[in-house]
Amino acid sequence: MKKSIKVGFVLFLVVFTLIGCTEKKDKTSTKQTSVTAQKTESSAADKKLKKEVAKMLKELKTVTASITEKDKENLTANAKTMHKHWLDFENSVRSAYPLEYTNVEKYETPIYYGSQYAEPDYTTLSENAKNLKSALNTLEDAKKTKAKTSKVLNEAVAGYQEYVQEQAVELVTANKKFTDAVRAGDVTEAKAQYSKSRVYYERIEPVAESFGDLDPEIDARINDVDSEADWTGYHVIERALWQNNTTDGMATYADKLDEDIQELADLTKKLKMKPKDMVAGAMELLNEAATTKITGEEEAYSHTDLVDLVANVEGSKVVYQAIIPALNQNDSELGDKLDTQFNKMEEILAKYQSGDSYVSYEQLTKDQIREISTELSTLSELMAKTGEIFN
C-alpha cells in the first residue's frame, strides 16, 4: 500500500512538472511572438517612412532645379507639392526621429514660404535646399535611439543656445547694414534694412530680456521710458525715418545701437539656460505677441508689426522643436496639438505676405487682428502646458 502511494506521488510530481514546463514554454513563446510581431511592425513602418523620405528627396530635386533656373512659377508649385507631402508624414518622423525631424523642418518650412514671395530670394532658397538635402539624407540613414528625458532636455537646451548664438551673430551683421544706412543719410535704404534687422532680434527677444537693462536700451518704445531724453534703440530711429522721413540726428543713436547689439551677441556666448527657462521665454513671447504686439503698438511708426509677429512665432517654434523628444516620451498628444497649431499659425500669417515682407498693420481688419490674436493665445497656452515636463 505504501509503495503504491509513493509511486502515485512520483507520477503526480512528474505530470505537474511537465504541465508547469509546458505553461512556461507557452508563455515564453507568446512573449517572443509578441516581441517579434512588434519588431516586424516597427520595421515595416520604418521602411514606409524611409520610402517617403526617398520620395521627398526626388521632390526636392525639382525644387532645386526651379531655384537654379529662377523659375518662379514652377518653384511655387514644386515647393507646394513637397510641403504637402511633408505634412502628410511629418508626424511619423517626429515620433520616431525627433532630432532629425527638427533639422528637416528647419529648412523645409522656409523653402515653402520663401517660394511664395513675389520676388524670391534665390540665394537663401538655394542654401536652404542644400541643407534640406543633407537633413533628408541623414534622416534616411537614421536609426532609432532611446534616451532618458534628462539627457534629451540637456541636448535640447544646448541646441537652443546654439540657435540663439547664431541668430545673435546674424543680428550684428543685419543691424550694421541698417545703422550704416542711417549714418549715410539714406532714408530709403534704412527703411528697407530696418525690418530685416528686427527679425533676428524678435526671434531671440526672451533671451535679450534676461540681460537686465539691455533689452530696454535696444527695444524700448516711447511709452516705456520716463523721459524721452533716456530713450534709445530701434524705435527712436524708427520714428525719425517714418514720422519725419529723415535720419538727421540719428547717427549717435545708430552708434549706440551697434554697441548694444554687439554686447548682446557677446553675452549669448556665455548663456547658460535651463529647460524651464527656455519654454517660459517662448510662452511669454507668444503671450506678449497675442495681447500687446497685436495691437500695433510695437511698430507704431513703420507699422511692420507682422514682421515681428512672424519672427516671434519662428523663435518659439525652435523651442518647441528642441523639446520634441521630451514631448514624445511624456506627452505625445500635446506634441501633436502644438505641431498642428504652429502649422495653423504659419498658414494664417502667410496670407499677409507681400513681396519679401508682410503687409502693413494698418491694412488688417479687426476680424483679421482678432483671428491672429486668438490663435497666438492658443499657441501660448499649449506651450505653457509643456512646463509640466520639467516639474
Side-chain angles (χ1 to χ4, degrees), residues 95-142:
S95 176
Y97 303 100
L99 298 179
E100 288 78 8
Y101 163 85
T102 299
N103 285 331
V104 173
E105 184 83 353
K106 180 179 179 181
Y107 300 113
E108 189 281 329
T109 301
I111 290 174
Y112 172 60
Y113 289 109
S115 72
Q116 297 180 37
Y117 291 157
E119 297 181 6
D121 183 343
Y122 289 106
T123 301
T124 300
L125 285 170
S126 180
E127 187 64 26
N128 282 333
K130 179 182 177 181
N131 289 328
L132 178 57
K133 181 180 179 181
S134 177
L136 287 171
N137 285 333
T138 299
L139 173 58
E140 198 172 29
D141 297 331

Side-chain angles (χ1 to χ4, degrees), residues 142-154:
K143 294 181 179 179
K144 294 181 182 178
T145 57
K146 290 185 178 180
K148 292 182 178 180
T149 299
S150 58
K151 181 181 178 181
V152 167
L153 290 177
N154 287 335

Side-chain angles (χ1 to χ4, degrees), residues 74-112:
N74 278 330
L75 170 61
T76 303
N78 292 334
K80 184 176 182 179
T81 297
M82 183 174 71
H83 184 64
K84 185 178 183 302
H85 180 211
W86 171 239
L87 293 180
D88 286 342
F89 79 100
E90 66 165 340
N91 284 349
S92 58
V93 178
R94 179 161 50 84
S95 176
Y97 303 100
L99 298 179
E100 288 78 8
Y101 163 85
T102 299
N103 285 331
V104 173
E105 184 83 353
K106 180 179 179 181
Y107 300 113
E108 189 281 329
T109 301
I111 290 174
Y112 172 60

